[in-house]
Amino acid sequence: MTPEQKQKIEQVLSPNLFGVIATNSQEGTPESSLVGISESKDGGIVFRSLANSRKNQNIKTNPKVSMIIGFGEKSLVSLQLEGRARLVVDESEKNLLEDGHCARIKVYEKF
């Protein structure tokens, strides 16, 4: 990724707290979910999900996902991503990601 591309991505990510992630069920049916988003230090997208959620079960079976972020009152620009998601199972990595993510997405303080 070029520095220009990274800057453009950050311009969309920065003001947006939520995005929509699309996964596929075991039957191949598309399923979309609104998720709180943040950026990891390595430039990945982080979102939080309950262990038994549909999206986690779908990602275990098929890690290919798509996501859209942006396009709202503040900006008419959106970011469309396709890639692979991975579930974080390492407790130290999970704690590190959750600390930064939950600080950005204040609604998680209730959980």
Side-chain angles (χ1 to χ4, degrees):
M1 179 181 319
T2 68
E4 266 185 359
Q5 290 170 322
K6 185 162 177 51
Q7 182 182 14
K8 286 181 181 180
I9 290 170
E10 287 174 357
Q11 286 173 346
V12 175
L13 284 178
S14 181
N16 290 288
L17 297 177
F18 297 94
V20 176
I21 187 164
T23 60
N24 287 295
S25 72
Q26 291 181 13
E27 296 78 31
T29 305
E31 296 178 344
S32 300
S33 301
L34 181 67
V35 292
I37 56 165
S38 60
E39 186 177 5
S40 66
K41 290 181 182 179
D42 66 358
I45 305 295
V46 176
F47 62 91
R48 187 174 180 195
S49 182
L50 298 174
N52 62 349
S53 69
R54 285 187 327 174
K55 68 183 129 329
N56 278 17
Q57 300 310 310
N58 294 345
I59 289 168
K60 284 180 189 175
T61 305
N62 179 357
K64 294 178 184 175
V65 299
S66 63
M67 180 174 261
I68 187 163
I69 302 164
F71 199 87
E73 292 179 22
K74 296 179 182 179
S75 174
L76 299 179
V77 176
S78 67
L79 178 62
Q80 297 178 36
L81 306 164
E82 293 85 27
R84 293 182 175 271
R86 71 177 176 90
L87 302 176
V88 177
V89 293
D90 178 76
E91 286 301 318
S92 60
E93 182 183 11
K94 190 184 294 187
N95 290 337
L96 183 64
L97 289 171
E98 280 186 354
D99 287 348
H101 183 64
C102 293
R104 177 170 154 74
I105 313 297
K106 300 295 184 190
V107 70
Y108 290 141
E109 291 174 352
K110 296 178 183 178
F111 302 100

